[in-house]
Amino acid sequence: MDTLIMVAQLLLGLSILVGLHELGHLLTAKMFGMRVEKFSIGFPPKIIGFKYGDTEYSIGAIPLGGFVKISGMVDESMDTEQLAPEPQPWEFRAKPAWQRLIVMLGGIIVNVITGVVIFTFLIYDRGDTYYSRDQVIEHGIEVRSIGEEIGFQDGDRVLDINGEPYKRFDDLSGGEALLSSGGYYTVLRNGEEVKVNIPRGFINSFSNEDALSNFISLRTPMEVGEVVKGSPADEMGVQPKDRIVAVNDQEVVYFNDISGALEQLSSTETNLTIDRGGELITLSGTVKSDGTIGVYFNPLLEPVREKYSFIESIPKGTERAFSAVVINAKALGRMFTGEVSARNVSGPIGMAKIYGNTWDWVKFWSITGLISMILAFMNLLPIPALDGGHVVFLLYEMISGQSPSERFLENAQKVGMVLLLALMVFAIGNDILKIFTGW
């Protein structure tokens, strides 16, 4: 069932985005009087379809893309026979270069608009919820294995990233920080400012989906949420809403303080100092052999919550959408220099894992908005067979006044198709290796 949920979310998200992308090409082509022969979500073989006017609309069995076939255009169909006769007025090749340019940019523009609209509505509906820089400085961080590798220590209070203050705790593990050249964190440790350098290629440590949980977390004061019946805590008389403030007279505040102190006292008689409604009481009992006493904790630290009007949400949504493009552009640049490993490239399996195995509409739309912006960016790359490749050739024609020959465009399309197929095979191979090797 978990796998079905992941696959269903991926297929729904891709179908929406591919359909809108191809719709952008279709509408702009029809706007300039071009004949659109086919509009497909998914690749052949065709599952269902119908014809309306000059256009056949269909859904293909391979849900990893889609296409629009415009008369008189060299595209992935490689149908060169249609180019033999003289250009007809309704054909792509018969239209001015500026109109063809708009048609090729149509899908990218729609993907950008889709991403901005999704993030705008999410921010308007949900607002912004985060733990702030002030909270990080007040309480400090708890460090896991990946954080220890670069020199973080429990209790560090992170002051800035690359000498600049940040806004939210999540910024500490964001792409802007991890992809910065010569980046560093400034932390307050035992009253002194210390620089923690971000190593070159550190972002590769986050290729595994569980990596963020192994980096750092915000320390938060805790209270008892639930007491397991028959557990040592139950026998001691620990109650929900109690706060454990000391273990054997050792002061504790945060969860890692409490768990660390109890682990050292496994299978031994222990005194707990409890704050119960402002009154301090002492309870005694034996810690279990695994260093626990049978309680679940609730955090006492509330995140910052900000609400925005619809007008205020538009620039916020736009900023969030384009930040995804900037981060991906930086990551791609670092990949060419070898700083970012190519193993971070994911295919459909990796994308499905990002959606997750629970159906959460807020998460679904957040990821779909992110993918929409990434698709727009990737399609703009100057690779033949992608929209960006057509854009480059059209810009050359507009600047030089000379159109590349149809033979050249045909060969360029073939090269582009080979490159895209190779990239797809590589991405799927990465997905499979991650499953079997735990990359």
Side-chain angles (χ1 to χ4, degrees):
M1 180 59 74
D2 289 350
T3 301
L4 287 176
I5 292 174
M6 286 193 290
V7 172
Q9 291 187 92
L10 175 65
L11 294 181
L12 178 60
L14 283 182
S15 297
I16 292 170
L17 297 180
V18 169
L20 290 172
H21 178 92
E22 301 302 339
L23 183 65
H25 291 309
L26 179 141
L27 293 178
T28 49
K30 286 182 175 291
M31 180 175 68
F32 293 122
M34 300 177 194
R35 179 178 295 171
V36 179
E37 299 175 17
K38 294 181 181 180
F39 172 91
S40 177
I41 300 175
F43 295 120
K46 180 175 68 175
I47 299 175
I48 58 172
F50 65 93
K51 190 166 186 179
Y52 182 78
D54 294 324
T55 308
E56 179 188 6
Y57 300 86
S58 63
I59 296 177
I62 304 175
L64 298 178
F67 64 92
V68 167
K69 181 170 175 52
I70 304 172
S71 297
M73 176 182 170
V74 178
D75 58 15
E76 58 271 13
S77 69
M78 302 306 298
D79 181 9
T80 56
E81 292 183 5
Q82 64 170 326
L83 304 179
E86 287 296 313
Q88 300 300 311
W90 61 81
E91 289 187 333
F92 179 85
R93 56 181 174 157
K95 301 298 182 178
W98 67 270
Q99 292 184 4
R100 286 178 276 143
L101 179 64
I102 292 174
V103 171
M104 297 317 305
L105 289 173
I108 295 172
I109 292 169
V110 169
N111 276 141
V112 170
I113 292 172
T114 300
V116 170
V117 168
I118 288 174
F119 283 117
T120 295
F121 276 97
L122 283 173
I123 290 174
Y124 175 65
D125 180 59
R126 310 290 298 184
D128 203 2
T129 303
Y130 60 92
Y131 290 102
S132 69
R133 174 179 179 268
D134 290 341
Q135 291 172 312
V136 176
I137 293 173
E138 179 182 357
H139 297 285
I141 59 173
E142 179 182 345
V143 184
R144 313 279 167 71
S145 57
I146 294 177
E148 290 174 353
E149 290 176 8
I150 65 170
F152 274 133
Q153 295 182 13
D154 282 340
D156 280 351
R157 289 160 164 79
V158 186
L159 303 177
D160 59 51
I161 306 170
N162 300 332
E164 298 292 333
Y166 56 96
K167 181 178 180 180
R168 45 174 62 83
F169 170 75
D170 288 345
D171 293 340
L172 301 178
S173 55
E176 286 291 334
L178 302 182
L179 287 168
S180 55
S181 298
Y184 63 92
Y185 303 98
T186 305
V187 305
L188 187 64
R189 181 183 298 164
N190 300 322
E192 296 184 3
E193 288 191 10
V194 178
K195 183 183 289 187
V196 176
N197 293 314
I198 302 173
R200 186 177 184 271
F202 182 53
I203 195 170
N204 295 317
S205 300
F206 295 82
S207 58
N208 187 293
E209 57 262 23
D210 297 325
L212 280 177
S213 62
N214 292 321
F215 183 38
I216 58 175
S217 61
L218 176 62
R219 297 199 305 181
T220 62
M222 296 284 183
E223 69 175 12
V224 175
E226 181 184 344
V227 180
V228 178
K229 275 193 171 297
S231 66
D234 188 33
E235 295 172 358
M236 290 182 201
V238 177
Q239 300 176 9
K241 300 294 185 181
D242 283 351
R243 290 187 62 186
I244 301 175
V245 296
V247 177
N248 277 359
D249 297 325
Q250 175 186 340
E251 183 182 359
V252 292
V253 179
Y254 305 105
F255 175 76
N256 61 319
D257 297 334
I258 300 170
S259 60
L262 291 174
E263 283 176 7
Q264 295 177 10
L265 297 167
S266 59
S267 303
T268 60
E269 185 79 12
T270 303
N271 293 325
L272 302 181
T273 303
I274 301 292
D275 180 343
R276 182 174 292 166
E279 178 186 358
L280 295 180
I281 60 176
T282 300
L283 304 175
S284 299
T286 302
V287 179
K288 295 167 67 176
S289 60
D290 63 357
T292 64
I293 56 173
V295 298
Y296 295 97
F297 291 97
N298 290 333
L300 291 173
L301 190 62
E302 286 292 324
V304 176
R305 304 181 192 278
E306 297 179 348
K307 293 292 289 183
Y308 302 98
S309 68
F310 183 73
I311 298 299
E312 291 171 329
S313 299
I314 294 173
K316 292 285 182 182
T318 304
E319 179 185 359
R320 186 169 297 182
F322 277 94
S323 67
V325 175
V326 172
I327 290 171
N328 276 275
K330 283 186 177 180
L332 184 62
R334 300 284 196 275
M335 199 172 293
F336 283 113
T337 64
E339 184 175 337
V340 175
S341 172
R343 71 183 184 184
N344 291 296
V345 176
S346 293
I349 298 174
M351 293 170 66
K353 285 186 174 181
I354 293 173
Y355 275 107
N357 55 16
T358 57
W359 202 296
D360 180 335
W361 281 110
V362 173
K363 183 180 179 182
F364 171 83
W365 286 114
S366 297
I367 295 170
T368 301
L370 175 65
I371 294 176
S372 188
M373 297 302 296
I374 294 174
L375 283 177
F377 168 69
M378 296 300 292
N379 266 290
L380 195 55
L381 293 177
I383 299 174
L386 289 180
D387 295 341
H390 291 283
V391 167
V392 169
F393 297 142
L394 286 166
L395 289 175
Y396 167 80
E397 179 181 345
M398 293 172 69
I399 293 170
S400 68
Q402 295 181 336
S403 172
S405 69
E406 291 174 352
R407 179 78 174 174
F408 173 83
L409 293 175
E410 178 185 342
N411 290 330
Q413 189 76 13
K414 291 177 181 178
V415 171
M417 291 293 291
V418 171
L419 289 174
L420 291 181
L421 286 172
L423 179 60
M424 179 62 72
V425 170
F426 179 76
I428 294 174
N430 268 355
D431 287 345
I432 294 172
L433 283 173
K434 287 177 184 178
I435 291 173
F436 288 103
T437 66
W439 254 6

